[in-house]
Amino acid sequence: MQQSVFIRTEFFLLILFSLVVPLAIYAYMMWKRAISRKTVFFLAIVLIVLAGIDILLLQKLKGQAELTSSLIDNALFSSELSLALYLLPALFAGVGINMMSHLLISHLSQAERQFDREHPTRNGAADDAGN
């Protein structure tokens, strides 16, 4: 019999990547008064990658839990309850994708305003044609 999954390295990595690192990222973003777009993009990528790592670790822990005789391991990682553990990585991936979407939308808005400033006659012609 294998030892409990709660004392395995993968479980501690799961705690690190599911709680510690994302909370540190959120704290950093809330603490900073000004953040560059590159930093926001990097943090969004990190959150999405963390979500993938969490899913891999959960799958690995599920396989290890099935090999142990511990009922707690099986109840948490091999039952329907384990579905709740996948909500946290889904949240991180969703927040990361939302951050990337925000960057893209703000960039496109700025690009449209810049285009309007550089080509004022095209906007006037388009507005006159629409009336």
Side-chain angles (χ1 to χ4, degrees), residues 34-109:
I35 301 176
S36 72
R37 287 185 176 167
K38 289 179 183 178
T39 302
V40 173
F41 181 75
F42 173 74
L43 294 175
I45 294 292
V46 169
L47 286 173
I48 293 169
V49 168
L50 284 176
I53 291 170
D54 284 350
I55 290 173
L56 290 174
L57 288 170
L58 284 168
Q59 290 293 314
K60 189 163 186 161
L61 287 169
K62 177 185 177 184
Q64 292 174 355
E66 291 172 350
L67 298 175
T68 65
S69 60
S70 173
L71 296 176
I72 296 173
D73 293 356
N74 289 332
L76 189 60
F77 293 107
S78 297
S79 69
E80 292 79 18
L81 182 63
S82 68
L83 184 61
L85 296 174
Y86 287 91
L87 294 177
L88 211 51
L91 173 71
F92 300 150
V95 169
I97 289 170
N98 194 25
M99 288 168 59
M100 292 177 95
S101 174
H102 168 75
L103 288 176
L104 181 61
I105 289 170
S106 67
H107 171 73
L108 290 175
S109 295

